[in-house]
Amino acid sequence: MDKLEDMASVCEFDPITGDIPATKVEITVSLCVLYTQGVESKQWREFGRTEVIDNTLNPDFVRKYILDYFFEEKQNLRFDIYDIDSKSPDLAKHDFLGQTFCTLGEIVGSPGSRLEKPLGGIPGKNCGTIILTAEELGNCRDCATMQFCANKLDKKDFFGRSDPFMVFYRSNEDGTFTICHKTEVVKNTLNPVWQPFTIPVRALCNGDYDRSIKVEVYDWDRDGSHDFIGEFTTSYRELSRGQSQFNVYEVSSLNFHLIFLPSPLSLSLSSTQIHFTVAIDFTASNGNPSQSTSLHYMNPYQMNAYAMALKAVGEIIQDYDSDKMFPALGFGAKLPPDGRVSHEFPLNGNVDNPYCNGMEGILEAYHESLKTVQLYGPTNFAPIINHVARYAAAVQDGSQYFVLLIITDGVISDMAQTKEAIVNIVLLAGGISSRGKLAERDIVQFVPFRDYMDRTGNHVLSMARLAKDVLAEIPDQLILYMKSRGIKPNQTPPDYSPPGLKHH
């Protein structure tokens, strides 16, 4: 397979994405040219081209694109397809067949990381479809936790028992082998069960799942002259099948069990659905929405602070929610017609169905709410947190993960209840009581909006930084949750039907 690894250097550094990437992904596309977009300039620049496939209307390209993937950033992509008529590198001399736009997060967040999109760009013409897939490359952060046992090993000691241990070797490009792990010695047995061990996948096979792995079994001797019992070869792909007939080897009838400790991307690839809920502060301390000093100021010419923060974060995280339907809630306002104070109301006014269609739907519902509710108080977080926590508690198999974004202007009135609600969430995930207990996982990220306001008026760059910092901890929090619960990512998670908003 011809991988465009040299092209990765084209977009290695960006003022925003100068950090170490979450991972690298490989994109397989039925197209000719890939463009990426700068965060600030919004200019498209060519990233790479596939090879040319002759005489087919359904090309399946071998060449791949290697991209750095950042969960917390919006990475815009454009794919253009051409009919190549000559050897000229000038695209203007070839026939344009269509194009499509998406984000890298959309591809990664799609079921099975496979996204199918219609091609457009030519008015009045059906340009066909394009299929985009993402696969994590070998420099991932996956680790394999495995355990071996053996039956009826060869007798090497005079008294009829052995002290066996195992040695693992990674194969090199030149045909040689490099030792990468050695188990402990299990004394005086012909049926050893070794302790589980964890090893980076890179160390086992350098990220190549089909590369040979050699395993030797020895009988330990005190003087160091260990007796060779036997050996076998396998691969990471075979081992990852787990305990089955595929992992029984003649040398010692070894059985194998594998548990993944997934990276952020592999969790997405395993179809963990992220459910995003937004809650907005409608307390009077925000100021009168009709006045320019208000954080809720209804300016007909530009978005207010709440809308900017909501759009910056929501546009990124929505790529990981398959149905793009999001509960949008408000708190701290008096509601019509009777003026009762609510700390948990739907922005769209529909108690039975608070879901909004995409970020545009949330923003529309937010603006409509500003026209109908009266800003009041106090600033209570606990009802909203408990609301989302109830739904999260109902799905704890790792197939669903819930993220709550609260946008507020300041002081929390119910701090004690809010702390208890957060601790309850953490301890619920651990299956223990909350009374007198402290949270064992940090699941809260506070980001002050004022730190990201650009005095020059360059909101595009400042909002990109805001979203990056708000979302940066989610991958690690998700991994920690999966590990704490002993959950293996599912390839086909159960269907999830979002419930409506209920009064409590």
Side-chain angles (χ1 to χ4, degrees), residues 104-272:
L104 184 53
E106 279 185 85
I107 304 173
V108 172
S110 297
S113 293
R114 182 182 185 275
L115 178 64
E116 186 169 340
K117 296 201 71 171
L119 291 167
I122 303 178
K125 181 179 179 181
N126 182 355
C127 300
T129 60
I130 185 171
I131 298 173
L132 309 167
T133 63
E135 180 181 354
E136 189 168 23
L137 291 185
N139 65 344
C140 64
R141 296 182 290 183
D142 281 350
C143 291
T145 298
M146 58 184 79
Q147 182 175 22
F148 285 90
C149 63
N151 300 310
K152 300 178 182 178
L153 287 176
D154 190 14
K155 300 176 182 179
K156 292 294 183 181
D157 289 349
F158 179 78
F159 294 105
R161 293 186 183 273
S162 295
D163 305 317
F165 66 95
M166 304 172 67
V167 183
F168 292 76
Y169 298 88
R170 179 183 68 248
S171 61
N172 303 314
E173 296 288 350
D174 60 1
T176 61
F177 288 88
T178 300
I179 187 171
C180 57
H181 182 74
K182 184 185 294 184
T183 69
E184 81 281 6
V185 177
V186 181
K187 293 293 190 71
N188 198 30
T189 179
L190 297 180
N191 301 289
V193 178
W194 286 277
Q195 291 294 319
F197 65 92
T198 300
I199 184 171
V201 172
R202 291 192 305 271
L204 268 179
C205 60
N206 199 31
D208 182 352
Y209 289 8
D210 296 308
R211 180 174 295 197
S212 293
I213 300 171
K214 183 172 71 171
V215 183
E216 296 177 342
V217 185
Y218 290 89
D219 174 34
W220 178 84
D221 284 326
R222 188 179 300 275
D223 62 4
S225 59
H226 311 308
D227 297 319
F228 179 72
I229 295 178
E231 69 177 38
F232 65 90
T233 58
T234 183
S235 68
Y236 181 70
R237 191 177 302 280
E238 290 180 7
L239 292 176
S240 64
R241 294 177 179 178
Q243 187 171 343
S244 68
Q245 71 272 19
F246 298 108
N247 284 311
V248 176
Y249 302 94
E250 292 184 5
V251 60
S252 54
S253 299
L254 291 175
N255 293 317
F256 177 80
H257 179 62
L258 175 66
I259 302 172
F260 278 114
L261 304 180
S263 70
L265 176 59
S266 59
L267 283 169
S268 298
L269 293 174
S270 300
S271 300
T272 296

Side-chain angles (χ1 to χ4, degrees), residues 324-340:
K324 304 292 186 290
M325 298 295 292
F326 308 106
L329 312 175
F331 60 92
K334 285 186 174 182
L335 306 185
D338 56 0
R340 66 179 180 84

Side-chain angles (χ1 to χ4, degrees), residues 389-407:
R390 280 189 288 272
Y391 298 133
V395 189
Q396 298 192 51
D397 61 358
S399 63
Q400 320 290 335
Y401 194 77
F402 293 77
V403 175
L404 170 61
L405 172 67
I406 299 178
I407 308 178

Side-chain angles (χ1 to χ4, degrees), residues 357-398:
N357 187 3
M359 288 313 305
E360 294 305 317
I362 295 179
L363 289 170
E364 182 181 349
Y366 161 62
H367 288 125
E368 287 300 315
S369 289
L370 285 176
K371 300 175 184 177
T372 57
V373 305
Q374 178 187 347
L375 273 57
Y376 199 69
T379 308
N380 291 348
F381 282 10
I384 290 286
I385 295 174
N386 289 328
H387 168 84
V388 176
R390 280 189 288 272
Y391 298 133
V395 189
Q396 298 192 51
D397 61 358

